[in-house]
Amino acid sequence: MLKHFLYSPGPTPVPEEVLLEMANPLIHHRTPQFFKIIQENFELLQYIFQTKNPVITITSSGTGAMEASVTNFLSPKDKAIVLSAGKFGERFAEICRAYNINVIEIKAPYGMDVKAEELEKALKQNPDTKAVFTEYSETSTGVAFDIKSIAKVVKNTEAILVVDGISAIGAMEFKMDEWAIDVALAGSQKAFMIPPGLSFISFSEKAKKMMEKSTLPKYYFNLTKEKESLEKNTTAWTPAISLFIALNSALKLMKKEGLESITKRHALIAEACRKAVQSIGLSILPVVPAVKPSDTLTAVKVPAGIDGLKIPSLMRDKYGVTIAGGQESLKGKIFRLGHLGYFGISDIIIELQAMELALKELGYKFDYGKSVFTAQKVIEEHLL
Ligand SMILES: Cc1ncc(COP(=O)(O)O)c(C=O)c1O
């Protein structure tokens, strides 16, 4: 028997009590029973996003929320600045181009971020910019963008700031209202501890004003319609009912733990993971101290002479531990250790020991057991 552990940076493990909720007989979505679920979810999502703004739940994966953040606030030929240093930043640019938006892409190499100062310069040169799109945690590289500084720059302009927080919100510190974020996106299969299929999008008053003027085509992802429905505790279309119910259960677990504790848990485990891999001679992304790593995953560089594609498959097939490989230009060059959502201090030990077994088998020479020991030391120092 091979016991399985899902440690990718999404989808992430689902707690047993949440799984059981989805096993109950299906209910209809136009019923008082389901209206109550929507209302509770809405209030709990506002808590997670730290906002008084509406938070819409869409039946789609995260990319649907990304697309909605373009089509609902912009009009054809509008100018948008996209900060991109990885696959998901590039996706924002691709969606914008698909909708005939005039895109200015500020690109940084994979493993880096785009600094607020660069954005400030670009905004000064392009005062007619309508929106700035950025990642918070760029899942393809394990880098965290400095959203607070970026938001300070955008705040004093006409543009709205759209933040893809899909692999960050609910795990890393995020204060939508205090930081002046206009549009924030999140996804169910990440910190929210439920399967893929729901995405979340919240928007500020500044964004709402742009929404009222937006003329890009939209139908399924129509946030005006969804907002009106939400005010009646319902949804525009048939929602993924079982996922809404699972979300209700997961959000209550998150509320019970509390945002501060959730953030601290992710930060501690991330630190343990980073120090652990470095203790056996591995390097991580980002490579420079001026760029911060994400606390929800660790992108580890494949050591020279090792077949990078084999690390995730060996960990999964022989040791039952699913992680993620590199994407696009980083394919075979990094592997990504997820530590996100329903992920406790003992999970990182399981993940690291499977990584060590795989690396040893593939011929990497290191002090066997040291990464596990290092992670234990970090955890011990923080907990005692
Ligand atoms: C930061 C980020 N943005 C966007 C997406 C796309 O979301 P989805 O795959 O749910 O459509 C992901 C998914 O991995 C992500 O991590």
Side-chain angles (χ1 to χ4, degrees):
M1 192 269 286
L2 188 60
K3 188 165 177 186
H4 290 280
F5 300 89
L6 181 58
Y7 296 149
S8 82
T12 60
V14 180
E16 291 73 6
E17 55 265 64
V18 177
L19 287 170
L20 283 173
E21 284 296 330
M22 286 188 291
N24 280 319
L26 194 62
I27 60 168
H28 197 280
H29 56 294
R30 310 290 184 205
T31 56
Q33 215 181 338
F34 197 71
F35 297 155
K36 185 166 174 276
I37 300 273
I38 293 186
Q39 194 210 335
E40 282 181 4
N41 285 359
F42 165 59
E43 283 166 16
L44 289 162
L45 284 167
Q46 280 189 319
Y47 166 69
I48 302 294
F49 279 65
Q50 291 287 287
T51 188
K52 292 200 164 54
N53 296 323
V55 189
I56 310 281
T57 300
I58 315 176
T59 292
S60 83
S61 78
T63 307
M66 292 176 87
E67 181 157 332
S69 74
V70 174
T71 57
N72 282 271
F73 302 104
L74 297 179
S75 300
K77 298 203 169 62
D78 271 355
K79 193 180 269 185
I81 296 179
V82 178
L83 312 187
S84 103
K87 184 180 142 114
F88 295 107
E90 285 165 10
R91 186 169 300 178
F92 261 145
E94 285 163 14
I95 297 170
C96 284
R97 289 194 185 104
Y99 282 98
N100 207 9
I101 296 301
N102 178 3
V103 179
I104 298 172
E105 205 172 345
I106 309 183
K107 266 184 169 293
Y110 278 36
M112 300 294 281
D113 64 354
V114 179
K115 297 289 176 208
E117 296 75 30
E118 281 177 80
L119 172 63
E120 193 168 20
K121 234 190 285 164
L123 278 166
K124 280 200 179 121
Q125 284 162 2
N126 297 279
D128 54 341
T129 300
K130 293 287 188 332
V132 174
F133 292 87
T134 184
E135 296 303 303
Y136 182 4
S137 162
E138 173 50 83
T139 323
S140 65
T141 63
V143 165
F145 281 52
D146 182 358
I147 293 304
K148 257 166 108 170
S149 303
I150 289 170
K152 272 190 201 146
V153 167
V154 181
K155 194 180 169 187
N156 303 317
T157 69
E158 296 294 305
I160 54 165
L161 175 62
V162 181
V163 175
D164 172 0
I166 289 174
S167 67
I169 295 177
M172 287 160 61
E173 190 186 29
F174 185 76
K175 298 190 170 174
M176 182 168 185
D177 294 356
E178 195 182 312
W179 295 356
I181 310 288
D182 296 299
V183 180
L185 320 176
S188 62
Q189 78 275 27
K190 309 277 184 176
F192 294 87
M193 308 187 290
I194 66 168
L198 298 181
S199 58
F200 314 108
I201 180 161
S202 182
F203 49 89
S204 67
E205 266 305 306
K206 185 175 172 187
K208 189 168 153 266
K209 289 199 178 99
M210 281 187 59
M211 190 163 95
E212 283 156 9
K213 289 191 221 136
S214 158
T215 59
L216 273 180
K218 48 195 142 299
Y219 192 88
Y220 185 77
F221 298 123
N222 185 328
L223 297 180
T224 308
K225 228 173 156 68
E226 289 293 356
K227 184 174 173 286
E228 282 163 16
S229 299
L230 182 62
E231 279 156 13
K232 293 180 224 141
N233 292 322
T234 190
T235 52
W237 324 116
T238 306
I241 298 170
S242 310
L243 291 180
F244 272 63
I245 291 169
L247 178 68
N248 190 256
S249 165
L251 285 171
K252 284 176 180 164
L253 290 178
M254 291 172 86
K255 183 76 198 284
K256 195 167 161 205
E257 184 177 1
L259 266 184
E260 210 183 310
S261 304
I262 293 175
T263 308
K264 276 194 187 146
R265 170 167 56 85
H266 282 86
L268 169 60
I269 292 171
E271 197 196 8
C273 184
R274 291 190 287 261
K275 289 210 166 126
V277 295
Q278 284 165 334
S279 75
I280 58 166
L282 298 169
S283 315
I284 62 161
L285 293 180
V287 283
V288 292
V291 181
K292 297 282 167 260
S294 167
D295 280 343
T296 61
L297 75 149
T298 300
V300 186
K301 285 187 171 180
V302 172
I306 304 294
D307 183 347
L309 295 177
K310 286 207 178 127
I311 299 166
S313 57
L314 197 54
M315 285 176 70
R316 182 189 62 233
D317 299 339
K318 193 156 178 185
Y319 304 110
V321 170
T322 298
I323 61 155
Q327 297 165 299
E328 307 289 328
S329 62
L330 292 176
K331 202 175 170 83
K333 294 188 182 145
I334 59 163
F335 57 94
R336 293 174 299 149
L337 302 170
H339 27 81
L340 168 58
Y342 185 48
F343 194 102
I345 48 176
S346 298
D347 289 298
I348 196 65
I349 303 299
I350 296 173
E351 193 170 15
L352 290 167
Q353 63 79 30
M355 175 197 72
E356 283 207 358
L357 286 165
L359 285 172
K360 190 166 185 236
E361 190 169 328
L362 292 170
Y364 180 57
K365 299 274 177 292
F366 62 102
D367 195 351
Y368 194 48
K370 188 152 182 210
S371 77
V372 171
F373 175 76
T374 307
Q376 279 178 329
K377 289 299 283 177
V378 173
I379 291 164
E380 183 194 9
E381 277 161 24
H382 280 77
L383 293 187
L384 295 183

